[in-house]
Amino acid sequence: AQSGDEKPFHELYIPEIDDVAWVNPIYKEILTMYLESIQEGRQPNVEYYLQNGSDAVRSTVVDMVSERHEVSNLWFDRYKIFVPGENDLTDKLFMTNLARLKRSVIQKLIDEHMEKLKSAKDPEEIDRLLHVQQELKETEKELAKMLGIVIPK
């Protein structure tokens, strides 16, 4: 459900994940199904994935939407302590998990570039690879900062 000026999920978050190279084929399949559904003018829900997805997609979706723990109502009723549930934290969780995903992709690229750098002979190629490596490390540092992770020098 959306209130007056809220944008739909796909308008807010799809641009954020556009540049992510999907390593996990199941997540890539889920995203592809989502985008196809949106293009057809439908807003997919859990049932859409359970009815139309592969066995792996169905299993993953069930794992994603199942709450692992339930907080007792007594926390609020008796002690007036509000404990946010997963639905209350969706935006923050999405952005945090997206940053984690991007960081893991960046780390993989850093490792790949390091291997290329080790075997490079041409000085211009070495300079180019060093420049790319520096940019990747800077991006990794920014993502780590967002996640509260300290990277040793």
Side-chain angles (χ1 to χ4, degrees), residues 4-149:
D5 60 344
E6 285 186 24
K7 289 185 176 183
F9 174 87
H10 66 277
E11 287 181 22
L12 287 172
Y13 296 118
I14 296 301
E16 289 291 327
I17 59 177
D18 230 8
D19 59 345
V20 173
W22 292 93
V23 179
N24 184 319
I26 299 168
Y27 294 163
K28 185 174 184 170
E29 184 179 348
I30 291 170
L31 178 63
T32 300
M33 289 177 68
Y34 177 82
L35 293 173
E36 287 171 355
S37 182
I38 292 297
Q39 287 175 348
E40 294 169 0
R42 291 178 299 173
Q43 182 67 40
N45 57 18
V46 173
E47 288 77 29
Y48 170 77
Y49 297 101
L50 296 178
Q51 292 171 1
N52 301 300
S54 65
D55 288 342
V57 166
R58 287 194 295 270
S59 175
T60 301
V61 168
V62 167
D63 287 344
M64 287 176 164
V65 299
S66 300
E67 283 206 36
R68 307 240 182 323
H69 309 285
E70 191 172 320
V71 178
S72 168
N73 289 336
L74 290 178
W75 280 100
F76 185 76
D77 295 342
R78 185 177 293 166
Y79 304 110
K80 304 299 181 221
I81 297 173
F82 174 72
V83 179
E86 287 184 19
N87 288 340
D88 301 315
L89 303 172
T90 302
D91 288 343
K92 184 177 186 314
L93 287 172
F94 177 83
M95 294 309 286
T96 300
N97 288 327
L98 178 62
R100 282 191 183 119
L101 174 65
K102 286 184 176 186
R103 183 170 176 262
S104 70
V105 170
I106 292 292
Q107 287 173 323
K108 186 175 186 235
L109 289 172
I110 288 171
D111 292 343
E112 289 172 4
H113 271 81
M114 191 58 82
E115 290 303 314
K116 289 179 185 177
L117 196 54
K118 287 177 184 176
S119 63
K121 304 286 186 232
D122 179 41
E124 287 181 19
E125 179 68 5
I126 291 172
D127 283 346
R128 188 187 70 75
L129 288 170
L130 282 172
H131 179 71
V132 170
Q133 191 75 354
Q134 185 178 14
E135 288 180 5
L136 289 170
K137 290 298 276 179
E138 188 60 38
T139 302
E140 179 191 32
K141 200 174 4 174
E142 289 172 20
L143 290 168
K145 184 177 179 182
M146 280 176 52
L147 295 167
I149 297 171

